[in-house]
Amino acid sequence: MAAAPVWSVDPRTGKQREQVAVEATAQEVDTAVRAAHAARGALADRTVRAAFLRSAADGLEAAKDQLVEAADAETALGPVRLTGELARTCYQLRAFADIVEEGAFLDVIINHPDDTATPPIPDLRRYKVPLGVVAVYSASNFPFAFSVAGGDTASALAAGCPVVVKAHPDHPALSELVAKVLRRAAAEHGIPEGVLGLVHGFEAGVELVKHPLIAAAGFTGSVRGGRALFDAAAGRPVPIPFHGELGSLNPVVVTEAAAAERAEAIGAGLAGSMTLGVGQFCVKPGLVLAPAGAAGDRFVKSLTDAVSDVAAGVLLDHRMRDNFIAGVAERVELPDVDSPVTPGAGSEHTVSPGFLTVPARNLTAEGAYDLLLEECFGPVTVVARYEDDSEAQAVLSRLPGNLTATVHLSTEEAAGEGRGAEILAELTPLAGRVLVNGWPTGVAVASAQHHGGPYPATTSTSTSVGGTAIERWLRPVVYQAAPQALLPAELRDENPLGLPRRFNGRLER
């Protein structure tokens, strides 16, 4: 593996700013993974682990000005957006610290022997233990929340798993700065700095997922890149879990009654959602099923007016800009596809938002129009105009898995009249989060959140956002007939750690 320089690049100009590092060699990847593996024991104490996570959040907040400036220079996402994302990242770290202290994630279950059961039950004690070193692949579009200190890293550390991060090439300088903050936080609590490794380079990413001491991986990115790593993880001599977020169309259904009731509001809401962050959110609505009649015309008119008022913006890098322009051009060339507001190139370094319309019947059978059922990363959406409910159903039946699916209902439909419940039932198999009368952009960090969905949205049934994201990095183990003196403290009858648990069938808190 030849070492190549890693540059920080300004997406506003496409010019290199500074050399940040060099691409990691196979030996350097091995060194980082082994250092992380050696740090496992330092994460065993949950009190230390929680304190580490809180110190990491404190350190990120203390370095806010420097981090936001570095992030904006490499992503052009703007100080307001980045400041909010950093705050979300710090909140997430502290939320996982709370989860670690509470201990319910250990899922402690104890059964005393019962000779009257059929078959008899021996003494069984179950809880969850960390998998080992986790490889994290940073995302381009969330340089804080899905990167070095993002949800995958925070949840893995909370589970007791050291992490080696493969930095995203769109923000290498920021990645180095954030890694230093986390390592300083680790050192404050006697944890080796190797608990958080960082490597750069495409080949380093491949070496990472193949390393025998890597126990699991988390990825956010493209279908192509994620699938290649997923296959590599499955093809190892010892396969490992690969939790990948790959791609999502995030369909929206607007019923005829909803359009008749509030077409203008729905059109304006869609414009705000699809152009948020220059259309670079993983939950951007990319396909909208809207009625073909007069109410649908009002919706399209509102969307046209709102999108026309949105200024051109900078995408995360020029490769994405080129792919966006080419992808839009390919879609516009299809017969029956119109562009009321044509998306594409803005200035030399920006793109202009827009949307396309197409009769929904063109999407009901396999063919050239399948291109419109694929994600196009950037500020564009496709509005498919349906003539009747059966046409909309036929399109939905052809969609792959998604992170989200949304329906806009009228007041009466939301109250239980009409097809509201039916449509929800049709959308549920398609996505991990189903919304009613809202927009999918904006993923709350909450206990009940699920950010995942059927393939290709994700490669597992887990979430990468919210408290249950910790479950990805744990495995259950049961001790049978083990003497109390030999048991982990978590599984002893007297419950010295005060953990919530299920004891002989009864939930104890």
Side-chain angles (χ1 to χ4, degrees), residues 10-12 67-79 82 174:
D10 186 344
R12 296 178 177 89
L67 295 177
V68 168
E69 181 181 1
D72 187 42
E74 291 187 313
T75 68
L77 289 173
L82 291 166
L174 176 67

Side-chain angles (χ1 to χ4, degrees), residues 123-482:
D123 187 271
L124 298 172
R125 296 160 190 268
R126 179 187 191 273
Y127 79 144
K128 291 179 178 177
V129 297
L131 289 174
V133 183
V134 172
V136 169
Y137 294 81
S138 296
S140 61
N141 54 343
F142 284 90
F144 289 119
F146 283 83
S147 189
V148 175
D152 286 348
T153 297
S155 58
L157 292 172
C161 296
V163 172
V164 178
V165 179
K166 190 274 181 187
H168 198 280
D170 279 351
H171 37 83
L174 176 67
S175 298
E176 289 286 343
L177 290 173
V178 171
K180 288 177 182 176
V181 171
L182 265 62
R183 288 168 181 154
R184 282 198 298 268
E188 288 175 21
H189 300 282
I191 300 171
E193 293 186 1
V195 74
L196 190 286
L198 182 68
V199 297
H200 298 267
F202 174 81
E203 292 296 336
V206 176
E207 291 289 338
L208 188 58
V209 79
K210 292 180 178 180
H211 197 286
L213 292 180
I214 290 294
F219 171 90
T220 303
S222 68
V223 173
R224 181 180 177 184
R227 184 53 194 258
L229 291 170
F230 174 73
D231 291 346
R236 292 167 34 130
V238 178
I240 59 171
F242 184 90
H243 303 285
E245 179 190 322
L246 309 188
S248 185
L249 197 60
N250 305 303
V252 177
V253 176
V254 180
T255 68
E256 188 167 4
E261 184 178 271
R262 58 181 198 287
E264 290 75 16
I266 297 173
L270 173 60
S273 184
M274 60 156 283
T275 62
L276 187 65
V278 202
Q280 296 175 110
F281 285 93
C282 50
V283 289
K284 179 203 74 176
L287 175 71
V288 182
L289 287 160
D297 290 343
R298 287 169 42 220
F299 160 74
V300 171
K301 171 70 165 56
S302 172
L303 180 60
T304 300
D305 293 343
V307 173
S308 297
D309 288 338
V310 179
V314 178
L315 293 184
L316 291 160
D317 63 40
H318 274 244
R319 176 184 56 81
M320 292 179 187
R321 180 179 182 274
D322 292 343
N323 288 342
F324 173 75
I325 294 169
V328 167
E330 189 177 3
R331 287 161 171 79
V332 169
E333 288 175 0
L334 292 169
D336 296 333
V337 171
D338 294 320
S339 51
V341 182
T342 303
S347 67
E348 183 181 357
H349 302 290
T350 64
V351 295
S352 297
F355 70 99
L356 313 177
T357 62
V358 65
R361 62 177 177 273
N362 292 21
L363 306 179
T364 58
E366 186 176 346
Y369 290 92
D370 286 357
L371 180 63
L372 300 179
L373 303 182
E374 297 176 7
E375 180 184 14
C376 186
F377 192 76
V380 62
T381 195
V382 175
V383 177
R385 306 288 300 274
Y386 63 88
E387 298 288 345
D388 53 40
D389 291 340
S390 63
E391 207 168 72
Q393 288 173 313
V395 175
L396 290 175
S397 71
R398 301 197 60 238
L399 298 187
N402 293 270
L403 294 169
T404 71
T406 301
V407 59
H408 280 268
L409 303 171
S410 68
T411 303
E412 290 185 353
E413 289 171 326
E417 300 181 25
R419 289 191 63 244
E422 252 182 84
I423 297 172
L424 246 64
E426 291 168 4
L427 295 180
T428 298
L430 293 178
R433 180 161 58 108
V434 180
L435 297 90
V436 178
N437 292 348
W439 298 105
T441 40
V443 183
V445 179
S447 300
Q449 185 59 273
H450 186 83
H451 188 63
Y455 186 85
T458 52
T459 60
S460 71
T461 59
S462 302
T463 179
S464 61
V465 178
T468 54
I470 196 174
E471 296 171 0
R472 297 174 295 170
W473 321 120
L474 299 163
R475 69 173 182 87
V477 63
V478 173
Y479 292 92
Q480 180 171 330

